[in-house]
């Protein structure tokens, strides 16, 4: 049985929440839609990579590896991968920003 803390829902909730906040501050409608559409699949993909990494670690070092910091760090790693991608997709393009400033 998988514990709730290990199921990946925390990554899903955090990714969706950050995507919504980032989309709110984004100027481009296309980027807003992209952020909202990519948040859940990104969280799932990152969590799949986490599970694969943990599976490989268990294969190489045994089941006791899950009782170490490696298990906790893998959860943080999911955030360290997903959140910068969301922020990158949500940033306003420099071309649009400089063109808007030059019109003023």
């Amino acid at each position: 049985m998988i514990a709730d803390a290990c199921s990946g829902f925390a990554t899903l909730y955090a990714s969706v929440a950050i995507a919504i906040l980032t989309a709110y501050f984004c100027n481009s409608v296309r980027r807003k839609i992209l952020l909202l559409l990519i948040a859940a699949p990104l969280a799932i993909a990152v969590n799949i990579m986490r599970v694969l990494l943990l599976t490989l670690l268990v294969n190489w070092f045994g089941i006791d590896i899950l009782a170490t910091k490696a298990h906790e760090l893998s959860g943080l790693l999911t955030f360290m991968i997903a959140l910068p991608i969301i922020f990158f997709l949500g940033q306003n393009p420099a071309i649009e920003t400089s063109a808007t400033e030059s019109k003023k």
Side-chain angles (χ1 to χ4, degrees):
M1 183 106 157
I2 298 174
D4 288 340
C6 298
S7 64
F9 282 113
T11 306
L12 179 64
Y13 297 147
S15 295
V16 170
I18 295 297
I20 290 170
L21 289 172
T22 305
Y24 178 78
F25 291 108
C26 188
N27 293 336
S28 171
V29 174
R30 286 183 180 168
R31 285 185 181 265
K32 287 181 183 190
I33 293 169
L34 176 67
L35 281 169
L36 297 177
L37 290 177
I38 200 75
L42 177 65
I44 292 168
V46 171
N47 201 50
I48 288 172
M49 290 189 307
R50 174 182 173 257
V51 169
L52 289 174
L53 175 67
L54 288 174
T55 303
L56 289 173
L57 288 174
V58 167
N59 189 31
W60 294 329
F61 301 107
I63 194 80
D64 294 335
I65 194 75
L66 296 179
T68 66
K69 292 284 183 189
H71 189 213
E72 294 175 21
L73 291 175
S74 69
L76 291 175
L77 184 66
T78 60
F79 292 112
M80 291 173 54
I81 294 172
L83 296 183
I85 293 172
I86 290 172
F87 291 143
F88 175 75
L89 292 174
Q91 71 184 0
N92 292 317
I95 296 170
E96 291 180 7
T97 306
S98 62
T100 306
E101 289 175 1
S102 66
K103 290 181 182 178
K104 291 181 181 179

